[in-house]
Amino acid sequence: MTGPVLLDDPHDARAARSAAGVLAAFNAAGVLEPADVHVATRVARLGGESADDVVLALALTVRGIRLGSVCVDLAAVRGTVLGAGDEPVDVSDLPWPDPAAWTAACVASPLVADGPDAPDGRPLRLVDGLLYLERYWRQEEVVRTELTARADTPATVDLDRLRTGLHRLFADRDPREERQRLAAAVAALRPVTVLAGGPGTGKTTTVAKILALLRDRPGAPPRIALAAPTGKAAARLQEAVREAGVDDVPTASTLHRLLGWQPGRSRFRHDRYDRLPFDVIVVDETSMVSLTMMARLLDAVRPDARLVLVGDPDQLASVEAGAVLGDLARAPGRPEPHLDAALTALDLPAGVVNGVVTLDHVWRFRGTVAAFARAVQAGDADAAVDLLRGGTDDLEFVETESAAAPDAVRADVVDAGIALAAAARHTDVPAALAALERHRVLCGHRRGPYGVARWSREIERWLGDALPELAEHDEWYPGRPVLVTANDYDTGLYNGDTGVVVATPDGPRVAFPGRSLLAPSRLAEVATVHAMTVHRGQGSQFARVTVVLPPAESPLLTRELLYTAVTRARTFVRVVGSEAAVRAAVGRPVSRASGLRHRLSG
């Protein structure tokens, strides 16, 4: 922790030159960005507010949204706020208002609606000591009321038929599958189910059994939709459900496409006035769904439809504001007597909270990687470091204080690159796509010595040395791994999709999982992908993963980032960084302010 880094240079891009008073002090300390200052100043001027304390609260609320929080806790923000620069800063010497007086000033402000029932029309709302921008308060209220209303609507279910279906799908009553069996029953008994669990815990297998159980109900087969926040995650969901044995798998789509995104308009086609036509909607990678998108989705789902939210609440949350899956998974529960009675009748444990069932048996990978992921998840830095230093076949620690690229990483990169190039030259699309997932470098930063840009240049140099023939080709050389960087609805490709260039008699073509080969001219915005950020890699899986950690001081280094990176691997993880960086990551969980978790309990 360092002292405030004062922005004395008037030409520093982080300095808000028009800031005055308390806003100037917080900007100079690196807490507020110029955007926070300018928005707060403008809104205060339009609303006729001149009190410094209220304008500071508004600026911190804007800052919170930018950093992923839905609101600001006025009583606690002093102890949780960090500087906006590259290092955490000591903010204790800043002119923080007294919390009680601060709250009273906000209550009296013409900018603030006080309480959940106050009339609309003001830019801020104060509820239970939490200060919201009105838009995000409304979105949180939509999520809360929709989820509460659905929980209060008991499903009409033939318990004998449900019991028979569960027995058919889980015939041997394997104790390792009991949580899956419980999740399937809850999905049949409750309009909203949250299926939580880490990678390899059988979430997709459980989704397949849930769909089979719901298709077994009397009447016409249910209309099913599969969706995810990104195109990559949607494609993986569709393929995984197909591999799990579901016939007639519906085409998975992004949430934007499901809701009917309309270019140039701020609203989706489907909302509470034009509901989605589906009876069952499964959303994968729900940890990546923002509060705004969840509100839009719940607004558009029919009241009698079933919603299954699938994801890992310990992974990175959405890049936008909100952590809805985490709030749902950790919220106190309200009694649901009808659900408890039905589960007891089915010889299943009662007491399911908010429809959340967490799968905890790992089927995909075991050994040291799984143990390391659990240690990170539990916040046990000592155990995590001990496992890294153990030197096992599936977990490697390359300890370095510098950004030097280890030879071990080069070996993995070159091995995967040679396999990728060979398959691409022979137009072996399945082998090329498999080689694309043999190894991936994941970084916390985009730029800088520990970032994607620097590591991509290093990898290109390694591959150029190992495959000199690459220099003889243009940019569309066989074996080039490509990343889609913007949604393209004409081709059905989405931001985050990855593919590989392959040679064909008609010239180079780009192969993407589950799609026909595409001519390069049909691709609008793509980039070569040798390394990617952990955020970008979320929803993907690779056989081997190298995780490049930034220095311990980096504010991007969090428990969720390390956990997400490690769990992208199927067989092997290499961590490149310092022990201090590992300990900092494990000990720094993301904290996103939200009122949803508390308010779901009523």
Side-chain angles (χ1 to χ4, degrees):
M1 186 75 73
T2 67
V5 182
L6 298 181
L7 306 180
D8 295 327
D9 182 358
H11 301 291
D12 192 317
R14 297 171 295 169
R17 291 189 291 276
S18 63
V22 68
L23 291 186
F26 277 75
N27 173 236
V31 173
L32 296 177
E33 292 280 1
D36 309 326
V37 173
H38 298 324
V39 170
T41 303
R42 181 62 173 166
V43 171
R45 184 181 299 122
L46 291 172
E49 178 58 77
S50 58
D52 278 352
D53 289 359
V54 177
V55 181
L56 174 62
L58 171 55
L60 290 172
T61 305
V62 174
R63 176 191 184 276
I65 295 294
R66 179 169 54 79
L67 298 181
S69 289
V70 175
C71 55
V72 168
D73 185 341
L74 295 178
V77 66
R78 176 174 181 168
T80 59
V81 72
L82 295 174
D86 291 334
E87 297 184 357
V89 300
D90 183 358
V91 297
S92 59
D93 291 335
L94 290 173
W96 291 98
D98 173 73
W102 202 4
T103 301
C106 289
V107 169
S109 171
L111 299 180
V112 181
D114 181 26
D117 301 321
D120 302 334
R122 302 189 182 191
L124 296 169
R125 184 175 293 265
L126 183 66
V127 180
D128 296 332
L130 303 178
L131 189 64
Y132 296 79
L133 293 181
E134 179 69 12
R135 171 189 173 187
Y136 290 93
W137 157 259
R138 287 176 172 273
Q139 291 173 355
E140 187 174 283
E141 188 69 354
V142 166
V143 172
R144 183 193 69 82
T145 55
E146 287 287 336
L147 291 174
T148 301
R150 292 168 192 272
D152 291 339
T153 306
T156 303
V157 177
D158 183 336
L159 287 182
D160 289 334
R161 185 166 187 148
L162 177 55
R163 185 181 293 106
T164 301
L166 290 170
H167 180 73
R168 184 182 70 255
L169 294 169
F170 303 93
D172 56 2
R173 294 300 298 263
D174 186 335
R176 297 172 299 176
E177 296 182 339
E178 278 301 285
R179 301 295 296 176
Q180 297 182 7
R181 188 170 183 265
L182 176 62
V186 171
L189 293 165
R190 200 177 189 275
V192 179
T193 303
V194 178
L195 181 59
T201 53
K203 295 192 297 293
T204 306
T205 301
T206 306
V207 167
K209 293 187 177 183
I210 287 173
L211 296 180
L213 198 63
L214 296 179
R215 282 178 167 179
D216 187 47
R217 301 181 70 197
R223 291 165 292 182
I224 297 171
L226 303 178
T230 66
K232 176 78 171 179
R236 290 187 65 87
L237 171 63
Q238 181 175 335
E239 183 61 27
V241 170
R242 181 183 292 114
E243 290 175 354
V246 177
D247 298 327
D248 303 322
V249 178
T251 301
S253 70
T254 63
L255 286 170
H256 281 80
R257 190 159 196 170
L258 176 73
L259 293 173
W261 177 74
Q262 302 175 89
R265 300 187 62 183
S266 61
R267 302 294 299 178
F268 291 103
R269 183 167 69 87
H270 292 289
D271 55 20
R272 65 174 55 249
Y273 305 107
D274 183 8
R275 305 274 192 173
L276 290 164
F278 303 103
D279 304 301
V280 180
I281 299 174
V282 178
V283 180
D284 198 12
E285 297 292 349
T286 310
S287 65
M288 301 166 65
V289 178
S290 66
L291 174 68
T292 299
M293 181 57 73
M294 184 61 73
R296 299 282 178 86
L297 175 65
L298 289 170
D299 223 16
V301 176
R302 295 199 335 258
D304 60 337
R306 274 176 168 71
L307 183 62
V308 181
L309 304 175
V310 185
D312 185 349
D314 293 311
Q315 287 189 21
L316 286 167
S318 166
V319 295
E320 299 177 46
V324 178
L325 182 65
D327 286 337
L328 284 173
R330 300 180 178 100
R334 300 188 312 152
E336 295 187 41
H338 58 279
L339 178 62
D340 288 345
L343 291 175
T344 300
L346 294 168
D347 193 25
L348 288 167
V352 171
V353 176
N354 296 321
V356 179
V357 180
T358 302
L359 307 182
D360 51 15
H361 180 79
V362 179
W363 300 83
R364 181 187 300 152
F365 57 80
R366 296 179 178 85
T368 316
V369 172
F372 180 67
R374 287 194 297 270
V376 173
Q377 187 180 34
D380 190 341
D382 289 339
V385 170
D386 288 345
L387 288 166
L388 282 175
R389 294 192 181 284
T392 59
D393 292 338
D394 57 348
L395 182 66
E396 180 181 351
F397 185 30
V398 180
E399 189 171 8
T400 174
E401 294 286 351
S402 71
D407 291 338
V409 182
R410 178 171 184 162
D412 266 343
V413 166
V414 170
D415 178 63
I418 290 174
L420 187 63
R425 285 195 300 267
H426 292 89
T427 326
D428 189 343
V429 173
L433 292 175
L436 191 64
E437 297 188 350
R438 286 178 71 161
H439 176 260
R440 186 59 50 87
V441 173
L442 298 177
C443 305
H445 291 184
R446 294 183 183 276
R447 293 174 293 276
Y450 304 89
V452 169
R454 180 263 174 179
W455 275 83
S456 293
R457 290 192 299 270
E458 189 84 1
I459 291 170
E460 285 181 345
R461 183 175 64 81
W462 293 340
L463 293 176
D465 293 341
L467 299 166
E469 64 271 19
L470 295 183
E472 303 173 5
H473 295 278
D474 62 14
E475 63 174 328
W476 298 104
Y477 59 86
R480 178 194 175 192
V482 297
L483 172 75
V484 177
T485 57
N487 292 340
D488 186 345
Y489 290 91
D490 291 333
T491 60
L493 297 172
Y494 302 95
N495 188 357
D497 285 351
T498 54
V500 58
V501 179
V502 297
T504 75
D506 299 321
R509 294 292 184 267
V510 186
F512 290 92
R515 293 179 174 84
S516 303
L517 298 180
L518 296 173
S521 60
R522 295 194 60 194
L523 302 179
E525 297 185 46
V526 298
T528 304
V529 56
H530 292 306
M532 60 172 50
T533 62
V534 179
H535 278 88
R536 182 80 78 172
Q538 195 166 356
S540 300
Q541 291 290 323
F542 308 98
R544 299 169 68 87
V545 164
T546 293
V547 183
V548 179
L549 297 182
E553 296 79 18
S554 170
L556 295 179
L557 189 59
T558 65
R559 181 183 303 170
E560 288 78 5
L561 181 124
L562 179 56
Y563 173 79
T564 301
V566 168
T567 54
R568 298 311 90 206
R570 289 192 293 267
T571 61
F572 175 85
V573 170
R574 175 186 297 110
V575 177
V576 178
S578 65
E579 178 179 330
V582 173
R583 290 186 177 278
V586 175
R588 189 185 294 156
V590 170
S591 178
R592 291 194 168 192
S594 163
L596 181 62
R597 184 180 307 185
H598 169 70
R599 296 177 67 240
L600 279 173
S601 66

